[in-house]
């Protein structure tokens, strides 16, 4: 009879073999954030279209439609992203708007 030097038990004894089962931790999806553009009476429509094309990768037609929604309804959701990406997009839009001296506002809020 050969004993396991660590457990001092016979490795052939009984049926219970030590199986390591990997438990996959449940990963929770990160919360998502809506990025929104707000209407104002001063920012040119062309600038809003440019922002949507440049920072959100939208086509000219898509950008034009969203710009009209912002203009008519007061705001529009332009994308839904993880916190870091949403924060970056808001910062990019706000930075360009300030540099171009437009009062365009871009905000983000947690999606429910």
């Amino acid at each position: 009879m050969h004993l396991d030097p660590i457990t001092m038990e016979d490795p052939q004894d009984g049926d219970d073999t030590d199986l390591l089962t990997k438990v996959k931790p449940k990963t929770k999806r990160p919360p998502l954030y809506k990025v929104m553009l707000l209407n104002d009476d001063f920012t040119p429509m062309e600038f809003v279209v440019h922002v949507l094309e440049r920072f959100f990768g939208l086509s000219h037609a898509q950008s034009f439609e969203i710009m009209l929604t912002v203009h008519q309804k007061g705001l529009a959701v332009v994308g839904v992203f993880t916190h870091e990406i949403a924060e970056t997009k808001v910062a990019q839009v706000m930075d360009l708007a300030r540099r171009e001296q437009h009062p365009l506002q871009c905000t983000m809020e947690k999606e429910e």
Side-chain angles (χ1 to χ4, degrees):
M1 164 172 14
H2 297 283
L3 295 179
D4 183 306
I6 296 172
T7 63
M8 298 306 288
E9 295 176 0
D10 182 356
Q12 304 296 322
D13 191 27
D15 239 29
D16 41 359
T17 54
D18 292 328
L19 291 178
L20 294 177
T21 56
K22 289 186 179 180
V23 177
K24 198 172 189 180
K26 286 193 175 190
T27 53
K28 208 164 108 178
R29 287 184 179 248
L32 296 176
Y33 291 79
K34 298 184 283 191
V35 175
M36 298 168 289
L37 287 182
L38 308 178
N39 188 45
D40 64 74
D41 294 330
F42 305 101
T43 303
M45 292 179 176
E46 300 81 28
F47 180 76
V48 175
V49 170
H50 171 70
V51 162
L52 292 167
E53 291 172 344
R54 179 172 175 184
F55 297 119
F56 298 93
L58 300 173
S59 70
H60 186 75
Q62 291 170 315
S63 298
F64 192 81
E65 284 294 318
I66 292 174
M67 176 275 298
L68 284 179
T69 301
V70 171
H71 182 68
Q72 294 165 350
K73 304 211 180 214
L75 69 89
V77 174
V78 297
V80 179
F81 309 95
T82 60
H83 186 270
E84 293 77 19
I85 294 172
E87 201 171 50
T88 299
K89 300 248 183 228
V90 168
Q92 289 172 324
V93 171
M94 295 301 294
D95 183 52
L96 183 60
R98 274 194 296 274
R99 280 189 281 134
E100 298 290 326
Q101 300 182 340
H102 297 304
L104 180 65
Q105 292 296 303
C106 185
T107 62
M108 62 186 263
E109 71 178 39
K110 195 170 187 177
E111 188 176 53
E112 311 224 354

